[in-house]
Amino acid sequence: MIKNDLFLRALNNEIVDRPPVWMMRQAGRYLPEFIALRDKYDFFTRCQTPELAAEITVQPIRRIAPDAAILFSDILVVPQAMGIEVLMKENIGPFLPNPIRTTQDVERVIVPNVHETLGYVFDAIKLTKQMLNDEVPLIGFAGSPWTIFCYAVEGKGSKSFDTAKGFCFSNPIAAHSLLQKITDTTILYLKEKVKAGCNAIQIFDSWGGMLSPVDYQEFSWNYINQIVEALAEDTKVIVFGKGCWFALGEMSKSKASALGVDWTCSPRNARYLSGGKITLQGNFDPSRLLSPIPTIKKMVHEMINEFGKDSYIVNLGHGILPNIPVDHAKAFIDAVKEYNS
């Protein structure tokens, strides 16, 4: 049994003394011990070497002690496994030299044997579980099919993903075919993650907010919900859509156990839009961790009061920034642990 199961209890809607807390990208660039490994090994080497991925996953557990660990990996290991070349360029981010632009390109994309192509992730999970020694739960994750599609078609990051959206609207049959292939691969991948030892799964829809509410239903939520339906019997699923406050009502009717909220939606609105029953996760502005420590602690307590301590997981509204001082990150975690309702 997991010694600190607060995170899992919140996903079960149980009454708790305080909400659990973790941070998106907590295994990452703000930690000096992470930077030491980053300077030694390139990005995908860190993802593909189970010993490195496991070590990076547990670094924040040792340093700032959140209530859950999230596996160090990347959403773009999925398109890599599907035969789409993905590079990580310094100071640029993801770069796909051969983006998907035609029906023929889509036809060449495969739904892989995930054991052959992503076995290193499952090995990393098993190793991480040993290192965690049941202290806290382990979260596995994947990008939403739409978010993966955005990178696959655009070929790189973008402020608007016009090329990806244009492909959906000008060639919807091919777009839906690619989205379905990504969905099928993601379901196979996440089911194996759960078998390997993950205690919960988060789906990151980083670029869902680029779509109108109507297009979101067709090109994003439709596919996320297939994943939720496929996984709901096996594990707890959190759906985080950045900029997707307009979909909270629809999401709350699904089998998801929790919904992530970014900092542009107030706790009150998030509760209202999601119907007031489902567990919510979020939504501290990551930049706010640059505030003085007393301000961080005060704001965290106010945020918990606004969401309510039950059916709530404290988190940031997006990933932690690389320039956040470690003691500020720790103050965020400690503020939750010090919370008294």
Side-chain angles (χ1 to χ4, degrees):
M1 294 298 291
I2 291 170
K3 299 180 188 91
N4 175 357
D5 64 350
L6 197 55
F7 170 74
L8 299 175
R9 284 164 54 208
L11 286 176
N12 275 330
N13 272 324
E14 293 177 28
I15 303 294
V16 291
D17 292 331
R18 67 160 175 92
V21 57
W22 67 281
M23 289 188 292
M24 291 183 274
R25 287 208 182 129
Q26 67 187 13
R29 306 167 289 182
Y30 69 104
L31 286 172
E33 52 268 51
F34 173 88
I35 292 165
L37 289 176
R38 183 194 66 188
D39 291 346
K40 223 168 153 183
Y41 305 98
D42 72 59
F43 183 78
F44 283 116
T45 299
R46 279 175 273 142
C47 289
Q48 291 163 4
T49 308
E51 293 76 10
L52 291 174
E55 168 59 26
I56 291 167
T57 302
V58 300
Q59 282 176 348
I61 307 304
R62 297 184 197 123
R63 179 72 84 115
I64 59 171
D67 295 309
I70 182 162
L71 185 75
F72 175 76
S73 185
D74 194 79
I75 63 171
L76 295 176
V77 300
V78 168
Q80 276 183 333
M82 298 174 73
I84 301 169
E85 187 181 2
V86 182
L87 309 172
M88 198 61 72
K89 290 201 166 184
E90 200 63 42
N91 302 321
I92 295 175
F95 178 74
L96 291 74
N98 304 299
I100 310 292
R101 298 285 167 83
T102 66
T103 301
Q104 291 72 27
D105 291 341
V106 173
E107 286 167 356
R108 281 193 289 270
V109 174
I110 61 162
V111 174
N113 177 325
V114 293
H115 288 285
E116 289 173 8
T117 53
L118 292 161
Y120 62 87
V121 179
F122 314 135
D123 291 342
I125 291 166
K126 289 167 189 162
L127 199 52
T128 303
K129 290 292 284 185
Q130 287 174 21
M131 290 171 73
L132 286 172
N133 194 29
D134 289 332
E135 290 296 331
V136 293
L138 177 63
I139 305 165
F141 69 90
S144 72
W146 164 251
T147 291
I148 301 299
F149 176 98
C150 280
Y151 286 110
V153 176
E154 200 83 27
K156 58 185 188 304
S158 165
K159 284 192 167 67
S160 57
F161 287 100
D162 293 333
T163 307
K165 288 167 71 172
F167 188 61
C168 287
F169 307 149
S170 63
N171 197 346
I173 292 170
H176 282 300
S177 173
L178 180 55
L179 283 161
Q180 192 60 55
K181 285 183 176 186
I182 297 167
T183 303
D184 294 345
T185 304
T186 303
I187 289 169
L188 294 168
Y189 173 54
L190 291 177
K191 278 183 169 283
E192 290 305 317
K193 276 189 155 179
V194 174
K195 282 185 197 162
C198 286
N199 303 102
I201 293 295
Q202 176 154 310
I203 300 166
F204 284 88
D205 196 8
S206 304
W207 306 123
M210 299 288 170
L211 293 164
S212 74
V214 172
D215 291 331
Y216 186 78
Q217 289 296 320
E218 180 179 352
F219 294 102
S220 188
W221 178 249
N222 172 30
Y223 296 99
I224 292 173
N225 199 39
Q226 286 184 46
I227 299 169
V228 174
E229 290 275 333
L231 283 162
E233 286 181 18
D234 303 331
T235 193
K236 301 290 180 184
V237 183
I238 305 167
V239 176
F240 171 62
K242 187 167 184 291
C244 300
W245 57 269
F246 55 79
L248 286 171
E250 186 71 22
M251 290 173 171
S252 68
K253 296 175 195 152
S254 74
K255 291 179 182 171
S257 296
L259 302 177
V261 185
D262 69 37
W263 66 91
T264 62
C265 184
S266 70
R268 184 179 173 184
N269 279 348
R271 286 283 182 215
Y272 172 74
L273 292 166
S274 62
K277 293 186 182 74
I278 194 166
T279 296
L280 296 179
Q281 176 178 279
N283 72 338
F284 204 73
D285 183 342
S287 301
R288 266 289 175 187
L289 292 178
L290 292 166
S291 297
I293 284 175
T295 306
I296 293 170
K297 293 200 169 190
K298 177 173 173 284
M299 290 182 73
V300 168
H301 291 165
E302 288 169 354
M303 180 174 73
I304 298 170
N305 287 336
E306 285 179 52
F307 274 105
K309 72 171 173 66
D310 297 311
S311 303
Y312 177 47
I313 298 162
V314 180
N315 206 315
L316 305 175
H318 203 228
I320 187 169
L321 301 167
N323 61 334
I324 301 300
V326 176
D327 58 339
H328 287 226
K330 189 166 188 325
F332 176 79
I333 302 290
D334 288 348
V336 183
K337 293 183 176 181
E338 292 158 8
Y339 178 79
N340 293 307
S341 55

